[in-house]
PDB file of all heavy atoms in Angstrom:
ATOM      1  N   HIS A 101      93.619  97.194 119.411  1.00  0.00           N
ATOM      2  CA  HIS A 101      94.965  97.544 119.878  1.00  0.00           C
ATOM      3  C   HIS A 101      95.879  96.326 120.022  1.00  0.00           C
ATOM      4  O   HIS A 101      96.994  96.444 120.528  1.00  0.00           O
ATOM      5  CB  HIS A 101      94.944  98.363 121.173  1.00  0.00           C
ATOM      6  CG  HIS A 101      94.191  99.640 121.037  1.00  0.00           C
ATOM      7  ND1 HIS A 101      94.637 100.674 120.262  1.00  0.00           N
ATOM      8  CD2 HIS A 101      92.997 100.019 121.550  1.00  0.00           C
ATOM      9  CE1 HIS A 101      93.757 101.656 120.301  1.00  0.00           C
ATOM     10  NE2 HIS A 101      92.763 101.287 121.058  1.00  0.00           N
ATOM     11  N   ARG A 102      95.424  95.163 119.583  1.00  0.00           N
ATOM     12  CA  ARG A 102      96.307  94.001 119.581  1.00  0.00           C
ATOM     13  C   ARG A 102      97.518  94.364 118.733  1.00  0.00           C
ATOM     14  O   ARG A 102      97.387  94.894 117.621  1.00  0.00           O
ATOM     15  CB  ARG A 102      95.608  92.787 118.983  1.00  0.00           C
ATOM     16  CG  ARG A 102      96.540  91.591 118.881  1.00  0.00           C
ATOM     17  CD  ARG A 102      95.917  90.434 118.164  1.00  0.00           C
ATOM     18  NE  ARG A 102      96.867  89.337 118.082  1.00  0.00           N
ATOM     19  CZ  ARG A 102      96.714  88.299 117.292  1.00  0.00           C
ATOM     20  NH1 ARG A 102      95.634  88.196 116.528  1.00  0.00           N
ATOM     21  NH2 ARG A 102      97.630  87.353 117.262  1.00  0.00           N
ATOM     22  N   SER A 103      98.715  94.077 119.252  1.00  0.00           N
ATOM     23  CA  SER A 103      99.943  94.459 118.543  1.00  0.00           C
ATOM     24  C   SER A 103     100.994  93.373 118.651  1.00  0.00           C
ATOM     25  O   SER A 103     101.172  92.766 119.706  1.00  0.00           O
ATOM     26  CB  SER A 103     100.512  95.758 119.120  1.00  0.00           C
ATOM     27  OG  SER A 103      99.599  96.821 118.995  1.00  0.00           O
ATOM     28  N   LEU A 104     101.710  93.180 117.548  1.00  0.00           N
ATOM     29  CA  LEU A 104     102.881  92.308 117.492  1.00  0.00           C
ATOM     30  C   LEU A 104     104.032  93.103 116.906  1.00  0.00           C
ATOM     31  O   LEU A 104     103.831  93.935 116.013  1.00  0.00           O
ATOM     32  CB  LEU A 104     102.635  91.087 116.596  1.00  0.00           C
ATOM     33  CG  LEU A 104     101.593  90.076 117.028  1.00  0.00           C
ATOM     34  CD1 LEU A 104     101.467  88.989 115.971  1.00  0.00           C
ATOM     35  CD2 LEU A 104     101.967  89.471 118.357  1.00  0.00           C
ATOM     36  N   GLN A 105     105.227  92.828 117.383  1.00  0.00           N
ATOM     37  CA  GLN A 105     106.421  93.448 116.829  1.00  0.00           C
ATOM     38  C   GLN A 105     107.351  92.350 116.335  1.00  0.00           C
ATOM     39  O   GLN A 105     107.577  91.359 117.027  1.00  0.00           O
ATOM     40  CB  GLN A 105     107.143  94.284 117.880  1.00  0.00           C
ATOM     41  CG  GLN A 105     108.391  94.969 117.329  1.00  0.00           C
ATOM     42  CD  GLN A 105     109.167  95.690 118.411  1.00  0.00           C
ATOM     43  OE1 GLN A 105     109.469  95.121 119.444  1.00  0.00           O
ATOM     44  NE2 GLN A 105     109.475  96.953 118.155  1.00  0.00           N
ATOM     45  N   LEU A 106     107.890  92.555 115.134  1.00  0.00           N
ATOM     46  CA  LEU A 106     108.894  91.659 114.570  1.00  0.00           C
ATOM     47  C   LEU A 106     110.178  92.436 114.385  1.00  0.00           C
ATOM     48  O   LEU A 106     110.150  93.614 114.008  1.00  0.00           O
ATOM     49  CB  LEU A 106     108.442  91.122 113.211  1.00  0.00           C
ATOM     50  CG  LEU A 106     107.113  90.383 113.147  1.00  0.00           C
ATOM     51  CD1 LEU A 106     106.823  89.956 111.717  1.00  0.00           C
ATOM     52  CD2 LEU A 106     107.123  89.191 114.079  1.00  0.00           C
ATOM     53  N   LYS A 107     111.306  91.773 114.636  1.00  0.00           N
ATOM     54  CA  LYS A 107     112.609  92.393 114.423  1.00  0.00           C
ATOM     55  C   LYS A 107     113.465  91.478 113.569  1.00  0.00           C
ATOM     56  O   LYS A 107     113.357  90.252 113.652  1.00  0.00           O
ATOM     57  CB  LYS A 107     113.311  92.655 115.754  1.00  0.00           C
ATOM     58  CG  LYS A 107     112.651  93.722 116.585  1.00  0.00           C
ATOM     59  CD  LYS A 107     113.454  94.007 117.833  1.00  0.00           C
ATOM     60  CE  LYS A 107     112.819  95.142 118.627  1.00  0.00           C
ATOM     61  NZ  LYS A 107     113.655  95.527 119.777  1.00  0.00           N
ATOM     62  N   GLY A 108     114.314  92.093 112.772  1.00  0.00           N
ATOM     63  CA  GLY A 108     115.241  91.338 111.938  1.00  0.00           C
ATOM     64  C   GLY A 108     116.492  92.145 111.675  1.00  0.00           C
ATOM     65  O   GLY A 108     116.551  93.344 111.969  1.00  0.00           O
ATOM     66  N   ASP A 109     117.492  91.496 111.116  1.00  0.00           N
ATOM     67  CA  ASP A 109     118.750  92.192 110.824  1.00  0.00           C
ATOM     68  C   ASP A 109     119.272  91.900 109.419  1.00  0.00           C
ATOM     69  O   ASP A 109     120.444  92.096 109.133  1.00  0.00           O
ATOM     70  CB  ASP A 109     119.814  91.860 111.881  1.00  0.00           C
ATOM     71  CG  ASP A 109     120.119  90.374 111.970  1.00  0.00           C
ATOM     72  OD1 ASP A 109     119.714  89.608 111.076  1.00  0.00           O
ATOM     73  OD2 ASP A 109     120.764  89.986 112.953  1.00  0.00           O
ATOM     74  N   ASP A 110     118.385  91.456 108.535  1.00  0.00           N
ATOM     75  CA  ASP A 110     118.805  91.136 107.175  1.00  0.00           C
ATOM     76  C   ASP A 110     117.876  91.737 106.121  1.00  0.00           C
ATOM     77  O   ASP A 110     117.673  91.170 105.060  1.00  0.00           O
ATOM     78  CB  ASP A 110     118.896  89.624 107.000  1.00  0.00           C
ATOM     79  CG  ASP A 110     117.539  88.926 107.080  1.00  0.00           C
ATOM     80  OD1 ASP A 110     116.542  89.576 107.487  1.00  0.00           O
ATOM     81  OD2 ASP A 110     117.464  87.730 106.745  1.00  0.00           O
ATOM     82  N   ALA A 111     117.300  92.905 106.408  1.00  0.00           N
ATOM     83  CA  ALA A 111     116.322  93.506 105.497  1.00  0.00           C
ATOM     84  C   ALA A 111     116.936  93.828 104.147  1.00  0.00           C
ATOM     85  O   ALA A 111     118.084  94.266 104.048  1.00  0.00           O
ATOM     86  CB  ALA A 111     115.734  94.769 106.114  1.00  0.00           C
ATOM     87  N   SER A 112     116.147  93.594 103.113  1.00  0.00           N
ATOM     88  CA  SER A 112     116.542  93.928 101.748  1.00  0.00           C
ATOM     89  C   SER A 112     115.388  94.647 101.072  1.00  0.00           C
ATOM     90  O   SER A 112     114.244  94.579 101.532  1.00  0.00           O
ATOM     91  CB  SER A 112     116.915  92.661 100.970  1.00  0.00           C
ATOM     92  OG  SER A 112     115.787  91.807 100.869  1.00  0.00           O
ATOM     93  N   ILE A 113     115.690  95.331  99.977  1.00  0.00           N
ATOM     94  CA  ILE A 113     114.693  96.138  99.268  1.00  0.00           C
ATOM     95  C   ILE A 113     114.695  95.733  97.809  1.00  0.00           C
ATOM     96  O   ILE A 113     115.757  95.557  97.204  1.00  0.00           O
ATOM     97  CB  ILE A 113     115.039  97.638  99.375  1.00  0.00           C
ATOM     98  CG1 ILE A 113     115.132  98.044 100.845  1.00  0.00           C
ATOM     99  CG2 ILE A 113     114.013  98.503  98.655  1.00  0.00           C
ATOM    100  CD1 ILE A 113     116.319  98.881 101.156  1.00  0.00           C
ATOM    101  N   ALA A 114     113.501  95.593  97.241  1.00  0.00           N
ATOM    102  CA  ALA A 114     113.365  95.262  95.821  1.00  0.00           C
ATOM    103  C   ALA A 114     112.113  95.950  95.292  1.00  0.00           C
ATOM    104  O   ALA A 114     111.204  96.265  96.068  1.00  0.00           O
ATOM    105  CB  ALA A 114     113.256  93.748  95.638  1.00  0.00           C
ATOM    106  N   PRO A 115     112.050  96.151  93.981  1.00  0.00           N
ATOM    107  CA  PRO A 115     110.808  96.684  93.416  1.00  0.00           C
ATOM    108  C   PRO A 115     109.682  95.661  93.568  1.00  0.00           C
ATOM    109  O   PRO A 115     109.925  94.456  93.535  1.00  0.00           O
ATOM    110  CB  PRO A 115     111.135  96.887  91.932  1.00  0.00           C
ATOM    111  CG  PRO A 115     112.610  96.755  91.811  1.00  0.00           C
ATOM    112  CD  PRO A 115     113.088  95.951  92.970  1.00  0.00           C
ATOM    113  N   ALA A 116     108.478  96.153  93.753  1.00  0.00           N
ATOM    114  CA  ALA A 116     107.325  95.259  93.792  1.00  0.00           C
ATOM    115  C   ALA A 116     107.071  94.712  92.394  1.00  0.00           C
ATOM    116  O   ALA A 116     107.426  95.341  91.389  1.00  0.00           O
ATOM    117  CB  ALA A 116     106.102  96.002  94.307  1.00  0.00           C
ATOM    118  N   ARG A 117     106.460  93.553  92.353  1.00  0.00           N
ATOM    119  CA  ARG A 117     106.052  92.961  91.074  1.00  0.00           C
ATOM    120  C   ARG A 117     104.669  93.495  90.722  1.00  0.00           C
ATOM    121  O   ARG A 117     103.903  93.871  91.614  1.00  0.00           O
ATOM    122  CB  ARG A 117     106.016  91.439  91.194  1.00  0.00           C
ATOM    123  CG  ARG A 117     107.360  90.830  91.547  1.00  0.00           C
ATOM    124  CD  ARG A 117     107.244  89.319  91.670  1.00  0.00           C
ATOM    125  NE  ARG A 117     106.048  88.946  92.405  1.00  0.00           N
ATOM    126  CZ  ARG A 117     106.008  88.150  93.454  1.00  0.00           C
ATOM    127  NH1 ARG A 117     107.099  87.616  93.918  1.00  0.00           N
ATOM    128  NH2 ARG A 117     104.867  87.863  94.056  1.00  0.00           N
ATOM    129  N   PRO A 118     104.307  93.494  89.440  1.00  0.00           N
ATOM    130  CA  PRO A 118     102.960  93.976  89.069  1.00  0.00           C
ATOM    131  C   PRO A 118     101.842  93.264  89.833  1.00  0.00           C
ATOM    132  O   PRO A 118     100.870  93.897  90.227  1.00  0.00           O
ATOM    133  CB  PRO A 118     102.888  93.695  87.568  1.00  0.00           C
ATOM    134  CG  PRO A 118     104.315  93.773  87.119  1.00  0.00           C
ATOM    135  CD  PRO A 118     105.127  93.190  88.252  1.00  0.00           C
ATOM    136  N   ALA A 119     101.986  91.983  90.101  1.00  0.00           N
ATOM    137  CA  ALA A 119     100.945  91.231  90.811  1.00  0.00           C
ATOM    138  C   ALA A 119     100.791  91.684  92.267  1.00  0.00           C
ATOM    139  O   ALA A 119      99.745  91.446  92.881  1.00  0.00           O
ATOM    140  CB  ALA A 119     101.264  89.741  90.766  1.00  0.00           C
ATOM    141  N   ASP A 120     101.791  92.342  92.822  1.00  0.00           N
ATOM    142  CA  ASP A 120     101.712  92.800  94.218  1.00  0.00           C
ATOM    143  C   ASP A 120     100.677  93.903  94.402  1.00  0.00           C
ATOM    144  O   ASP A 120     100.169  94.099  95.507  1.00  0.00           O
ATOM    145  CB  ASP A 120     103.078  93.291  94.706  1.00  0.00           C
ATOM    146  CG  ASP A 120     104.101  92.180  94.787  1.00  0.00           C
ATOM    147  OD1 ASP A 120     103.709  91.007  94.996  1.00  0.00           O
ATOM    148  OD2 ASP A 120     105.302  92.478  94.651  1.00  0.00           O
ATOM    149  N   ALA A 121     100.342  94.609  93.330  1.00  0.00           N
ATOM    150  CA  ALA A 121      99.350  95.683  93.433  1.00  0.00           C
ATOM    151  C   ALA A 121      98.007  95.151  93.909  1.00  0.00           C
ATOM    152  O   ALA A 121      97.294  95.840  94.650  1.00  0.00           O
ATOM    153  CB  ALA A 121      99.204  96.404  92.099  1.00  0.00           C
ATOM    154  N   ALA A 122      97.648  93.921  93.544  1.00  0.00           N
ATOM    155  CA  ALA A 122      96.379  93.340  93.993  1.00  0.00           C
ATOM    156  C   ALA A 122      96.393  93.127  95.507  1.00  0.00           C
ATOM    157  O   ALA A 122      95.384  93.363  96.183  1.00  0.00           O
ATOM    158  CB  ALA A 122      96.111  92.021  93.271  1.00  0.00           C
ATOM    159  N   ARG A 123      97.529  92.697  96.063  1.00  0.00           N
ATOM    160  CA  ARG A 123      97.617  92.504  97.515  1.00  0.00           C
ATOM    161  C   ARG A 123      97.501  93.856  98.226  1.00  0.00           C
ATOM    162  O   ARG A 123      96.842  93.969  99.254  1.00  0.00           O
ATOM    163  CB  ARG A 123      98.914  91.817  97.897  1.00  0.00           C
ATOM    164  CG  ARG A 123      98.995  91.559  99.405  1.00  0.00           C
ATOM    165  CD  ARG A 123     100.184  90.717  99.787  1.00  0.00           C
ATOM    166  NE  ARG A 123     100.056  89.340  99.410  1.00  0.00           N
ATOM    167  CZ  ARG A 123      99.550  88.388 100.192  1.00  0.00           C
ATOM    168  NH1 ARG A 123      99.113  88.680 101.393  1.00  0.00           N
ATOM    169  NH2 ARG A 123      99.484  87.151  99.780  1.00  0.00           N
ATOM    170  N   VAL A 124      98.133  94.880  97.678  1.00  0.00           N
ATOM    171  CA  VAL A 124      98.058  96.214  98.281  1.00  0.00           C
ATOM    172  C   VAL A 124      96.628  96.742  98.205  1.00  0.00           C
ATOM    173  O   VAL A 124      96.119  97.305  99.176  1.00  0.00           O
ATOM    174  CB  VAL A 124      99.074  97.164  97.623  1.00  0.00           C
ATOM    175  CG1 VAL A 124      98.860  98.599  98.069  1.00  0.00           C
ATOM    176  CG2 VAL A 124     100.498  96.708  97.930  1.00  0.00           C
ATOM    177  N   ALA A 125      95.955  96.539  97.089  1.00  0.00           N
ATOM    178  CA  ALA A 125      94.560  96.979  96.957  1.00  0.00           C
ATOM    179  C   ALA A 125      93.671  96.265  97.976  1.00  0.00           C
ATOM    180  O   ALA A 125      92.795  96.887  98.596  1.00  0.00           O
ATOM    181  CB  ALA A 125      94.059  96.734  95.539  1.00  0.00           C
ATOM    182  N   ALA A 126      93.885  94.974  98.183  1.00  0.00           N
ATOM    183  CA  ALA A 126      93.111  94.221  99.164  1.00  0.00           C
ATOM    184  C   ALA A 126      93.391  94.731 100.577  1.00  0.00           C
ATOM    185  O   ALA A 126      92.469  94.836 101.407  1.00  0.00           O
ATOM    186  CB  ALA A 126      93.423  92.732  99.053  1.00  0.00           C
ATOM    187  N   TYR A 127      94.650  95.062 100.843  1.00  0.00           N
ATOM    188  CA  TYR A 127      94.999  95.608 102.161  1.00  0.00           C
ATOM    189  C   TYR A 127      94.286  96.947 102.386  1.00  0.00           C
ATOM    190  O   TYR A 127      93.702  97.174 103.447  1.00  0.00           O
ATOM    191  CB  TYR A 127      96.516  95.794 102.264  1.00  0.00           C
ATOM    192  CG  TYR A 127      96.936  96.508 103.529  1.00  0.00           C
ATOM    193  CD1 TYR A 127      97.012  95.828 104.739  1.00  0.00           C
ATOM    194  CD2 TYR A 127      97.234  97.867 103.524  1.00  0.00           C
ATOM    195  CE1 TYR A 127      97.374  96.473 105.912  1.00  0.00           C
ATOM    196  CE2 TYR A 127      97.601  98.519 104.683  1.00  0.00           C
ATOM    197  CZ  TYR A 127      97.670  97.825 105.876  1.00  0.00           C
ATOM    198  OH  TYR A 127      98.027  98.480 107.031  1.00  0.00           O
ATOM    199  N   ARG A 128      94.315  97.813 101.382  1.00  0.00           N
ATOM    200  CA  ARG A 128      93.649  99.110 101.516  1.00  0.00           C
ATOM    201  C   ARG A 128      92.161  98.931 101.796  1.00  0.00           C
ATOM    202  O   ARG A 128      91.589  99.602 102.659  1.00  0.00           O
ATOM    203  CB  ARG A 128      93.869  99.954 100.270  1.00  0.00           C
ATOM    204  CG  ARG A 128      95.295 100.452 100.129  1.00  0.00           C
ATOM    205  CD  ARG A 128      95.489 101.170  98.809  1.00  0.00           C
ATOM    206  NE  ARG A 128      96.851 101.666  98.670  1.00  0.00           N
ATOM    207  CZ  ARG A 128      97.467 101.793  97.516  1.00  0.00           C
ATOM    208  NH1 ARG A 128      96.850 101.495  96.375  1.00  0.00           N
ATOM    209  NH2 ARG A 128      98.707 102.250  97.470  1.00  0.00           N
ATOM    210  N   ALA A 129      91.511  98.006 101.080  1.00  0.00           N
ATOM    211  CA  ALA A 129      90.082  97.758 101.288  1.00  0.00           C
ATOM    212  C   ALA A 129      89.830  97.212 102.699  1.00  0.00           C
ATOM    213  O   ALA A 129      88.866  97.607 103.362  1.00  0.00           O
ATOM    214  CB  ALA A 129      89.562  96.778 100.239  1.00  0.00           C
ATOM    215  N   ALA A 130      90.701  96.324 103.169  1.00  0.00           N
ATOM    216  CA  ALA A 130      90.551  95.776 104.523  1.00  0.00           C
ATOM    217  C   ALA A 130      90.717  96.872 105.566  1.00  0.00           C
ATOM    218  O   ALA A 130      89.997  96.883 106.586  1.00  0.00           O
ATOM    219  CB  ALA A 130      91.564  94.651 104.748  1.00  0.00           C
ATOM    220  N   MET A 131      91.633  97.792 105.325  1.00  0.00           N
ATOM    221  CA  MET A 131      91.832  98.885 106.283  1.00  0.00           C
ATOM    222  C   MET A 131      90.664  99.861 106.253  1.00  0.00           C
ATOM    223  O   MET A 131      90.293 100.415 107.295  1.00  0.00           O
ATOM    224  CB  MET A 131      93.154  99.604 106.019  1.00  0.00           C
ATOM    225  CG  MET A 131      94.376  98.771 106.396  1.00  0.00           C
ATOM    226  SD  MET A 131      94.394  98.216 108.125  1.00  0.00           S
ATOM    227  CE  MET A 131      94.634  99.780 108.970  1.00  0.00           C
ATOM    228  N   VAL A 132      90.063 100.079 105.081  1.00  0.00           N
ATOM    229  CA  VAL A 132      88.863 100.918 105.004  1.00  0.00           C
ATOM    230  C   VAL A 132      87.776 100.304 105.891  1.00  0.00           C
ATOM    231  O   VAL A 132      87.128 101.005 106.680  1.00  0.00           O
ATOM    232  CB  VAL A 132      88.378 101.069 103.545  1.00  0.00           C
ATOM    233  CG1 VAL A 132      86.936 101.588 103.483  1.00  0.00           C
ATOM    234  CG2 VAL A 132      89.310 101.991 102.763  1.00  0.00           C
ATOM    235  N   ALA A 133      87.580  98.994 105.801  1.00  0.00           N
ATOM    236  CA  ALA A 133      86.563  98.325 106.616  1.00  0.00           C
ATOM    237  C   ALA A 133      86.933  98.365 108.101  1.00  0.00           C
ATOM    238  O   ALA A 133      86.087  98.669 108.948  1.00  0.00           O
ATOM    239  CB  ALA A 133      86.388  96.881 106.149  1.00  0.00           C
ATOM    240  N   GLU A 134      88.185  98.062 108.431  1.00  0.00           N
ATOM    241  CA  GLU A 134      88.628  98.038 109.834  1.00  0.00           C
ATOM    242  C   GLU A 134      88.473  99.415 110.479  1.00  0.00           C
ATOM    243  O   GLU A 134      87.910  99.550 111.560  1.00  0.00           O
ATOM    244  CB  GLU A 134      90.087  97.587 109.904  1.00  0.00           C
ATOM    245  CG  GLU A 134      90.749  97.735 111.245  1.00  0.00           C
ATOM    246  CD  GLU A 134      90.289  96.759 112.320  1.00  0.00           C
ATOM    247  OE1 GLU A 134      89.577  95.801 112.004  1.00  0.00           O
ATOM    248  OE2 GLU A 134      90.631  96.987 113.497  1.00  0.00           O
ATOM    249  N   LEU A 135      88.980 100.442 109.824  1.00  0.00           N
ATOM    250  CA  LEU A 135      88.919 101.778 110.401  1.00  0.00           C
ATOM    251  C   LEU A 135      87.521 102.378 110.314  1.00  0.00           C
ATOM    252  O   LEU A 135      87.117 103.153 111.183  1.00  0.00           O
ATOM    253  CB  LEU A 135      89.962 102.676 109.748  1.00  0.00           C
ATOM    254  CG  LEU A 135      91.412 102.290 110.104  1.00  0.00           C
ATOM    255  CD1 LEU A 135      92.399 102.995 109.189  1.00  0.00           C
ATOM    256  CD2 LEU A 135      91.705 102.591 111.558  1.00  0.00           C
ATOM    257  N   GLY A 136      86.766 101.994 109.275  1.00  0.00           N
ATOM    258  CA  GLY A 136      85.379 102.437 109.189  1.00  0.00           C
ATOM    259  C   GLY A 136      84.564 101.931 110.363  1.00  0.00           C
ATOM    260  O   GLY A 136      83.662 102.618 110.852  1.00  0.00           O
ATOM    261  N   GLY A 137      84.898 100.746 110.845  1.00  0.00           N
ATOM    262  CA  GLY A 137      84.206 100.168 111.991  1.00  0.00           C
ATOM    263  C   GLY A 137      84.401 100.944 113.281  1.00  0.00           C
ATOM    264  O   GLY A 137      83.649 100.768 114.235  1.00  0.00           O
ATOM    265  N   ILE A 138      85.416 101.804 113.317  1.00  0.00           N
ATOM    266  CA  ILE A 138      85.627 102.636 114.514  1.00  0.00           C
ATOM    267  C   ILE A 138      85.415 104.116 114.193  1.00  0.00           C
ATOM    268  O   ILE A 138      85.885 104.985 114.919  1.00  0.00           O
ATOM    269  CB  ILE A 138      87.005 102.379 115.170  1.00  0.00           C
ATOM    270  CG1 ILE A 138      88.159 102.631 114.201  1.00  0.00           C
ATOM    271  CG2 ILE A 138      87.067 100.967 115.735  1.00  0.00           C
ATOM    272  CD1 ILE A 138      89.543 102.555 114.853  1.00  0.00           C
ATOM    273  N   GLY A 139      84.717 104.365 113.076  1.00  0.00           N
ATOM    274  CA  GLY A 139      84.264 105.716 112.784  1.00  0.00           C
ATOM    275  C   GLY A 139      85.183 106.572 111.933  1.00  0.00           C
ATOM    276  O   GLY A 139      84.953 107.770 111.797  1.00  0.00           O
ATOM    277  N   ILE A 140      86.202 105.994 111.333  1.00  0.00           N
ATOM    278  CA  ILE A 140      87.108 106.782 110.483  1.00  0.00           C
ATOM    279  C   ILE A 140      86.624 106.674 109.046  1.00  0.00           C
ATOM    280  O   ILE A 140      86.361 105.577 108.538  1.00  0.00           O
ATOM    281  CB  ILE A 140      88.558 106.314 110.656  1.00  0.00           C
ATOM    282  CG1 ILE A 140      88.978 106.513 112.119  1.00  0.00           C
ATOM    283  CG2 ILE A 140      89.492 107.057 109.702  1.00  0.00           C
ATOM    284  CD1 ILE A 140      90.326 105.953 112.475  1.00  0.00           C
TER     285      ILE A 140
END
Side-chain angles (χ1 to χ4, degrees):
H101 301 292
R102 176 186 179 194
S103 300
L104 294 177
Q105 181 185 51
L106 303 179
K107 292 184 177 186
D109 59 13
D110 67 349
S112 63
I113 303 135
R117 299 179 316 233
D120 294 332
R123 182 172 288 268
V124 171
Y127 173 79
R128 289 175 179 150
M131 289 303 291
V132 164
E134 170 72 11
L135 291 167
I138 58 173
I140 299 173

